[in-house]
Amino acid sequence: MLLIPCPFCGPRPELEFRNAGHAHVTRNPAVDDPAWAETLFFRDNPKGIMAERWRHVSGCGRFFNVLRDTVSDAILASYKAGEPRPDVPLPGPEGEAPRIGAGDEVAP
Amino acid sequence: MTMAARALPPGAGALVSVALVPPATRLSFRGGPDAAEACAAAFGCDLPRRACRAAATEARAALWLGPDEWLLLAPEAETAALVAAIGAGLAAVPHALVDVSHRQVGFAIAGTQAATLLNTGCPLDLDPAAFPVGMCTRTVLAKCDVALWRRGVDLFRLEVNRSFADYVAGYLRVAERGLG
């Protein structure tokens, strides 16, 4: 089970959370249709570090953002909604992309 | 409630006992720091600012449930008076105060195996070092959303939504058979 660090409550078991998708989606309806469709429907699906929204639904109820490595599930940062995405180094040696693991490794 | 009460284990002499707590006034309070301060003055009990902590006086308690959300507990007869007092004290401050007295059912879980019993269905670390006396939080118990408050090393209070009370009482009764 993942331990997800809630910025308000501290590390909590994954069961208390719901994933809420891609973080930092900027909604600007004053754009043309293709750009608006991009905003609404197109999402990154990176192999590596992804900023995503989580909600501590069975806890404080807050939405917040997490930087998670989609390869290893390691959570590299957790920060309140509205705060800028922090710069974190890639978890692999020399900052290279992480290797594919069993999914149960933790960040160094 | 009657079904939940019937489902409870007898508990006498056991390492853990589960009992319904008497009906109480429960108020859901939401508001910013100003509102919390004014509410504490009107309620007669501090509203903790620290995450996941409860403050209690003899008859009242305020449980931190979120950065702007508290659960206020008081004796059953005081509902109307408290709603009026807090409403009057916060007339000029934006806030939300909802009477949820009948939404939830409270259980008192006591005994040396209380944390073990809860941990059969709750993934939190309930060691006193990680979950000290006075800590409270919403969490899950056997997939059911609950609010958990540690009132003593071996004493917990569980607030369960009424529609789940039978399920939780039955779950605890079954889980208790696996202890000891």
Side-chain angles (χ1 to χ4, degrees), chain B:
Chain B
M1 179 105 109
T2 50
M3 285 185 66
R6 212 162 40 232
L8 293 175
L15 297 172
V16 62
S17 70
V18 181
L20 277 174
V21 301
T25 294
R26 298 176 178 87
L27 302 174
S28 169
F29 177 79
R30 301 196 64 165
D34 295 351
E37 208 164 297
C39 179
F43 182 55
C45 173
D46 194 29
L47 268 58
R49 304 298 168 78
R50 189 174 168 198
C52 302
R53 286 298 183 279
T57 64
E58 202 161 313
R60 292 172 189 181
L63 278 62
W64 185 101
L65 293 183
D68 62 359
E69 181 178 3
W70 290 265
L71 176 66
L72 312 179
L73 302 174
E76 186 187 20
E78 295 180 20
T79 312
L82 275 176
V83 169
I86 297 173
L90 279 83
V93 191
H95 70 283
L97 182 70
V98 183
D99 175 11
V100 295
S101 301
H102 302 281
R103 182 183 73 181
Q104 287 159 219
V105 172
F107 292 98
I109 299 168
T112 54
Q113 293 289 306
T116 312
L117 177 67
L118 287 166
N119 268 149
T120 61
C122 172
L124 289 181
D125 183 355
L126 295 180
D127 186 275
F131 200 95
V133 174
M135 188 164 171
C136 65
T137 182
R138 268 191 297 238
T139 182
V140 288
L141 178 73
K143 301 181 191 171
C144 172
D145 278 346
V146 298
L148 182 65
W149 173 24
R150 184 171 217 152
R151 307 195 63 184
V153 174
D154 293 331
L155 175 62
F156 291 87
R157 171 139 173 185
L158 198 62
E159 288 282 325
V160 183
N161 282 355
R162 183 167 293 268
S163 54
F164 283 89
D166 273 356
Y167 166 75
V168 167
Y171 172 82
L172 290 174
R173 186 180 56 170
V174 171
E176 194 193 9
R177 288 190 202 136
L179 299 180

Side-chain angles (χ1 to χ4, degrees), chain A residues 59-72:
Chain A
C60 63
R62 288 303 121 130
F63 282 93
F64 60 98
N65 295 331
V66 153
L67 289 185
R68 182 175 63 93
D69 188 330
T70 59
V71 176
S72 65

Side-chain angles (χ1 to χ4, degrees), chain A residues 27-43:
Chain A
R27 290 168 174 78
N28 175 14
V31 294
D32 59 1
D33 283 351
W36 183 230
E38 185 90 15
T39 302
L40 288 179
F41 303 117
F42 287 76
R43 295 290 179 264

